[in-house]
Amino acid sequence: MVVGGLSSMAYGNPRTTKDADLVLAVDGTGLNRLAEKLGDEFHLDSQGSFEMVTGTSRYHLRVPSLRFEIELFLLSDDAHDLERFKRRRAFPSRQLGMRTMIPTAEDVIVMKLRWFSIAKRGKDGDDIRNVIAVLGEDALDWDYIHRWTAEHGTRALLDEIRASIPHTDCPPSQAQAGAEWLLCERSASSCAAPPRLSITSKACR
Amino acid sequence: MEDQQIQHLADAIYVEKVRRARTMTPGERMEAGIELFEASLGIMRDGIRMQHPEADDLAVEEILKQRLARLRKIQEHGLYRKGPLLDE
């Protein structure tokens, strides 16, 4: 399953990334077998490292002629890691010329929030914001996201990020002119969602 | 420029970015990310050549590799610790 920056891009904005992060449901022996199958062009580092957020093991797979890196994460027994893997979806891409698996958008958000809260990496916050903005609030299963953010203690962070997203779905006829051009009429149901920018929440009152 | 104007400008830029992303397929967005990385490596190489005009292509690649490794170390500081060795 492709995770990390590439999976955020599948749902959000393109951004530069220096590696491909993959989660594999194999053990160390399986990893070695995979490396053998890939052939001489790939080099699997035998030294692993423990990732501190979910406690999963990571190994590097390198193609010496390339700077782009491949990180292999072994599926851990972390509850969300397991559920994310179970809910993975097929991602056939003509663009990339392959069929792979990616997490659902909700799981990208939940995992990125964990990383953002612990590692404070700006790119994780941006990825969360972009996935929500590009897909639109209505496309996401908020009950599922809220269940995990309550578990991980990241709900306040999520609400803060949601509040920072400008309202992007106004039909041009509803956008108001002048400095407050982002304002638009919002339906009662969308106003029930947490306020985003203060100028848009004003339009709901 | 006042803070509110800057905020409106930033929002306008962001809204445009989101609209553009919505016109792309997920695969196109992923591919663009990898291409962006390649493009940024090109700029890093140019920067190395500027700082080290004597360096040939091989030396430039070596410095680039060192810089990327250093960046990775900084970004991953405190997030990983040494893990198990794979059986060879």
Side-chain angles (χ1 to χ4, degrees):
Chain A
M1 175 172 72
V2 178
V3 297
L6 285 174
S7 67
S8 319
M9 279 182 240
Y11 298 110
N13 278 19
R15 67 159 170 84
T16 179
T17 183
K18 61 188 185 323
D19 54 26
D21 299 328
L22 310 177
V23 172
L24 306 175
V26 295
D27 57 13
T29 318
L31 260 193
N32 277 324
R33 275 206 307 270
L34 171 74
E36 279 167 25
K37 280 201 168 177
L38 287 171
D40 292 343
E41 206 185 340
F42 291 85
H43 174 76
L44 176 66
D45 279 356
S46 55
Q47 178 63 62
S49 47
F50 278 121
E51 176 253 282
M52 309 297 270
V53 178
T54 59
T56 185
S57 299
R58 176 189 69 170
Y59 294 88
H60 282 104
L61 186 66
R62 298 180 206 280
V63 179
S65 59
L66 296 179
R67 298 282 81 90
F68 194 76
E69 295 190 345
I70 302 161
E71 297 193 346
L72 306 176
F73 293 89
L74 304 189
L75 183 63
S76 71
D77 54 7
D78 173 84
H80 177 252
D81 205 22
L82 289 171
E83 188 159 359
R84 175 177 72 146
F85 195 78
K86 211 166 80 187
R87 286 162 43 95
R88 70 193 185 279
R89 46 178 292 195
F91 179 63
S93 173
R94 246 190 285 175
Q95 187 74 24
L96 301 174
M98 63 176 175
R99 184 182 182 280
T100 182
M101 309 296 286
I102 56 172
T104 65
E106 287 82 4
D107 286 314
V108 168
I109 292 169
V110 169
M111 191 52 119
K112 285 270 168 189
L113 278 165
R114 277 177 104 179
W115 275 92
F116 191 40
S117 70
I118 292 168
K120 316 277 183 227
R121 301 185 306 186
K123 65 177 179 179
D124 292 321
D126 290 343
D127 282 344
I128 298 160
R129 192 171 189 248
N130 292 336
V131 169
I132 298 170
V134 170
L135 293 184
E137 293 263 342
D138 295 345
L140 293 161
D141 178 350
W142 290 104
D143 288 342
Y144 178 82
I145 294 172
H146 289 159
R147 176 161 69 83
W148 280 110
T149 52
E151 180 97 8
H152 297 151
T154 52
R155 174 65 190 267
L157 200 52
L158 170 68
D159 290 347
E160 200 182 306
I161 292 170
R162 283 177 83 184
S164 79
I165 300 174
H167 197 59
T168 57
D169 297 320
C170 308
S173 59
Q174 286 187 16
Q176 292 184 7
E180 301 217 328
W181 60 273
L182 278 170
L183 283 174
C184 63
E185 297 290 326
R186 303 173 76 198
S187 66
S189 64
S190 64
C191 286
R196 301 177 186 98
L197 274 185
S198 57
I199 55 166
T200 55
S201 59
K202 257 188 242 165
C204 293
R205 289 194 198 116
Chain B
M1 217 185 242
E2 285 177 23
D3 284 357
Q4 210 191 5
Q5 283 176 305
I6 292 170
Q7 186 59 55
H8 278 131
L9 183 62
D11 286 346
I13 292 167
Y14 186 72
V15 167
E16 186 47 40
K17 220 167 114 179
V18 168
R19 286 197 180 128
R20 229 175 313 146
R22 284 177 176 175
T23 67
M24 300 168 81
T25 67
E28 282 172 342
R29 293 195 287 257
M30 277 177 156
E31 196 183 39
I34 296 169
E35 282 170 1
L36 280 168
F37 177 63
E38 289 301 324
S40 57
L41 285 185
I43 294 167
M44 284 178 81
R45 286 189 187 99
D46 289 343
I48 293 166
R49 284 192 199 99
M50 185 190 71
Q51 289 172 285
H52 304 277
E54 74 294 349
D56 60 15
D57 286 353
L58 215 67
V60 169
E61 278 312 300
E62 189 49 43
I63 297 170
L64 176 68
K65 202 169 138 187
Q66 287 167 7
R67 287 188 178 182
L68 289 172
R70 210 156 42 228
L71 275 173
R72 175 174 287 279
K73 249 188 199 167
I74 293 165
Q75 284 166 356
E76 294 187 351
H77 180 71
L79 295 174
Y80 291 90
R81 63 184 166 81
K82 207 168 176 180
L85 269 176
L86 281 175
D87 294 332
E88 297 290 347

